[in-house]
Amino acid sequence: MATKILRNKTGSDFGVPASAQADEASSLITSPALHEGLSFIRKNSGKGGGYDYWADVPTGGSYRPDTEIGQRLAEEFIAFIGKYHNVGNATLLGSIMLAMEASATRGHKIGFMNTINKYAMAGGYVSQMPQDEVEPTKQTPDARPHAVIKLEGLLQEAAALLRENEDLKIAQVALNEHGIHTMYKMPGFRKPDALRDKIIAYRDGLRAFREMPIEKFTRENEDQIAADMYEKHEDALRAWKDAAPSREGAIEALKLLTEIDIFTEDFRVDGSLAQTLRLAALKYLEGLEGMVA
């Protein structure tokens, strides 16, 4: 009974070093028969048995096609030993090379060995890297409460559903400890926003002023026309001190900032149109803290 138990134990049960344990684990990986796993190996029939390690490999008739055949078979070989990395396959390359000496063309040999060399260089490079670069980076565990992580995932899923189903006409979903509140889009409805309305009025007035025929202006009426068409809206914007009331208003403020006339003023000057628009959008964004936008 004791003998049977000892036979079932592995190196790790007796304090064998990790490298030896890795070799032991590799030796336990079962691979298919070579002639079943690799297309260029054939099992010999007859009394001697064994394998032909370079069997029935076609030739392309010239050097270049033969190198391509060699490369393809080398890739097949690398994939095989990568999947079945056991002790038996660790010496397989030597047997293949001896067989190639007897029947492979020069193109076969160059194509095959150049490909093997490419993978050997990669392995050599990795072997010379500092250990801390080789080891995979451990993912830092999320320290947030489980409920917060789960809620974030649900919100992301809900946002994706809203984007993918615009026909639902859902404008916004809000939730708190009392329940879920769904706000639907109503055709023609716009949330009241005085800043947005002032910006639109200013932009429309300025555009109309610029499009007026030149013959309608005189030295006496030009200032009054400008005041009536857009300057009164500009003055109202300069006097604005609050955050943009809505997302749409903040967007309109940022859009107006991109228009060329705005940049004739200094952003840092209080009362300038540029400063007013910048602060209105900034205050709106600062007010979003803790909200799902």
Side-chain angles (χ1 to χ4, degrees):
M1 182 67 177
T3 304
K4 184 176 181 180
I5 293 174
L6 287 173
R7 285 176 179 170
N8 291 332
K9 288 184 177 291
T10 63
S12 58
D13 297 312
F14 297 99
V16 177
S19 59
Q21 292 178 31
D23 291 340
E24 179 184 10
S26 294
S27 67
L28 298 177
I29 297 175
T30 303
S31 67
L34 296 179
H35 65 288
E36 296 175 354
L38 291 167
S39 65
F40 56 90
I41 294 181
R42 183 183 64 204
K43 186 174 179 62
N44 291 328
S45 59
K47 186 176 180 180
Y51 291 99
D52 181 348
Y53 292 93
W54 194 257
D56 303 323
V57 177
T59 62
S62 61
Y63 176 78
R64 183 177 181 83
D66 281 356
T67 61
E68 293 174 353
I69 293 171
Q71 291 169 1
R72 176 173 56 80
L73 297 182
E75 294 285 356
E76 181 184 342
F77 167 74
I78 290 294
F80 180 81
I81 63 173
K83 186 175 183 180
Y84 306 108
H85 47 284
N86 55 32
V87 173
N89 291 336
T91 59
L92 183 55
L93 181 59
S95 298
I96 293 172
M97 290 309 303
L98 290 174
M100 290 180 74
E101 283 296 321
S103 59
T105 67
R106 176 178 174 81
H108 287 159
K109 295 174 185 177
I110 296 298
F112 191 93
M113 290 310 299
N114 281 353
T115 304
I116 298 297
N117 190 75
K118 176 182 69 174
Y119 285 96
M121 286 182 64
Y125 174 78
V126 172
S127 71
Q128 298 304 307
M129 290 174 63
Q131 191 62 27
D132 57 347
E133 294 183 30
V134 178
E135 293 180 354
T137 303
K138 294 182 179 179
Q139 187 174 3
T140 304
D142 197 326
R144 294 177 299 169
H146 174 71
V148 173
I149 298 173
K150 185 174 182 180
L151 182 60
E152 181 180 289
L154 292 173
L155 291 174
Q156 290 175 351
E157 184 177 352
L161 287 172
L162 291 178
R163 287 192 297 269
E164 295 168 2
N165 297 274
E166 294 185 359
D167 56 306
L168 296 177
K169 303 298 182 183
I170 297 177
Q172 187 177 359
V173 176
L175 69 158
N176 54 31
E177 67 273 20
H178 302 298
I180 300 174
H181 309 277
T182 304
M183 287 157 275
Y184 292 90
K185 297 177 182 177
M186 296 176 61
F189 174 79
R190 300 180 77 184
K191 181 179 179 180
D193 188 327
L195 178 65
R196 176 201 62 210
D197 296 341
K198 294 178 191 297
I199 292 173
I200 293 174
Y202 167 76
R203 186 185 288 113
D204 291 345
L206 182 60
R207 183 184 301 111
F209 178 80
R210 289 173 171 171
E211 293 175 354
M212 282 187 66
I214 190 67
E215 59 269 16
K216 290 192 175 183
F217 291 100
T218 65
R219 182 174 298 178
E220 291 76 20
N221 70 7
E222 182 176 1
D223 289 343
Q224 188 59 48
I225 292 175
D228 292 340
M229 296 187 73
Y230 74 89
E231 286 182 351
K232 62 181 180 181
H233 303 301
E234 181 178 346
D235 292 340
L237 286 174
R238 290 177 186 274
W240 187 273
K241 302 298 181 184
D242 300 323
S246 71
R247 177 175 178 270
E248 189 178 2
I251 291 174
E252 288 297 330
L254 294 174
K255 283 182 178 179
L256 190 55
L257 271 174
T258 65
E259 297 177 12
I260 189 66
D261 287 349
I262 299 303
F263 291 101
T264 60
E265 297 182 328
D266 193 332
F267 273 82
R268 296 164 295 182
V269 176
D270 291 337
S272 68
L273 186 55
Q275 176 77 320
T276 298
L277 296 171
R278 184 179 71 86
L279 291 179
L282 180 61
K283 290 176 181 178
Y284 170 81
L285 293 173
E286 289 175 338
L288 292 178
E289 184 177 358
M291 297 177 60
V292 179

